[in-house]
Amino acid sequence: MYPEIFNSNMFTLLAEAEVGKHFYWNIAGFLVHGQVLLVSWLVLVLLLVFSIIGTQSKERIPKGFQNFTELAFDFIVDISRDQLGESFYKEWIPFISTLFLFVFGCNWAGALIPWKLITLPEGELAAPTNDINTTAALALLTSVAYFYAGLSKKGFGYFKRYIQPIPLLLPINIIEDFTKPLSLSFRLFGNVLADELTISVLTSLVPLVVPLPIMVLGIFAGSVQALIFSTLAAAYIAEALE
């Protein structure tokens, strides 16, 4: 009887989903979501550690972790090259790779680490990408890069595109540029949050064995979301460079 109660309580703990509650920090008069910063810092530290390990002893014929690191780098280079072309992809590799690796690391950290076993005074630890502020910040970075790409290549003549082919399209072209970061932000935020809520509901209704395949699918979906986000960001930058 007692093991059953223990397992039931553990499943209930793992299934709880606190939506709208945050662990606030007051930094210089600004309220920030502390749980997002904590997990984001952990992801950044892990990415830094993996990059150091993968480049510590470089050999002409890669093996071990160096082989994995070069494989990941080649994959990101292919994303940039496919969207930006041979002429521009090299200068945008750092930005595209940063977006991909951060979103990928956040999604995997949220899916693999049992954060609900760690209690906070308010809110809970989870993937930073299930916070609309994180996805909005990433989308705004992409938007800034998008305008920087166009202005650096064409100067202020870049804004002529807003009145082409006819000036009547000016409002539509402006709205289009505003909807791009919104689309990126809500697509990533909605997919991550929906996946976590689905797993939480299923875990609370049925034994843990049933949601396990969906959790594995969530890990795969987190990888796909990182790919989609970075690919769309590269595509938007390529559009500004055309």
Side-chain angles (χ1 to χ4, degrees), residues 182-194:
L182 284 175
S183 173
L184 281 174
S185 176
F186 282 106
R187 179 185 288 110
L188 180 59
F189 168 71
N191 288 336
V192 173
L193 184 61

Side-chain angles (χ1 to χ4, degrees), residues 46-186:
L46 290 177
L47 290 175
L48 181 61
V49 169
F50 289 149
S51 63
I52 292 175
I53 295 175
T55 58
Q56 193 170 16
S57 58
K58 297 183 290 293
E59 300 180 8
R60 184 173 295 274
I61 301 178
K63 59 182 180 179
F65 206 79
Q66 180 189 349
N67 194 23
F68 172 78
T69 304
E70 292 191 8
L71 180 65
F73 179 75
D74 290 339
F75 178 76
I76 297 171
V77 168
D78 288 339
I79 296 175
S80 301
R81 184 189 292 115
D82 291 343
Q83 300 299 324
L84 295 165
E86 294 289 341
S87 303
F88 303 105
Y89 82 94
K90 289 184 179 179
E91 59 184 294
W92 289 101
I93 287 177
F95 180 75
I96 302 300
S97 61
T98 300
L99 285 179
F100 176 82
L101 292 174
F102 181 74
V103 175
F104 181 88
C106 288
N107 289 346
W108 272 55
L112 293 178
I113 303 176
W115 296 112
K116 292 180 176 60
L117 297 180
I118 303 175
T119 58
L120 296 176
E122 190 73 19
E124 62 182 12
L125 295 172
T129 43
N130 82 346
D131 191 310
I132 189 64
N133 297 288
T134 304
T135 59
L138 294 173
L140 287 175
L141 280 175
T142 303
S143 186
V144 170
Y146 169 84
F147 284 106
Y148 169 78
L151 291 172
S152 62
K153 182 181 179 183
K154 305 175 184 177
F156 288 103
Y158 166 75
F159 294 107
K160 291 181 180 179
R161 64 180 292 274
Y162 287 104
I163 56 174
Q164 293 176 350
I166 57 176
L168 289 176
L169 294 179
L170 174 63
I172 297 177
N173 290 329
I174 293 177
I175 292 173
E176 180 187 3
D177 276 348
F178 277 102
T179 56
K180 285 176 181 176
L182 284 175
S183 173
L184 281 174
S185 176
F186 282 106

Side-chain angles (χ1 to χ4, degrees), residues 8-31:
S8 176
N9 291 336
M10 178 173 288
F11 293 158
T12 303
L13 174 64
L14 292 173
E16 288 180 350
E18 298 186 28
V19 179
K21 295 182 180 180
H22 301 286
F23 181 39
Y24 288 104
W25 288 353
N26 191 331
I27 301 178
F30 294 95
L31 290 178

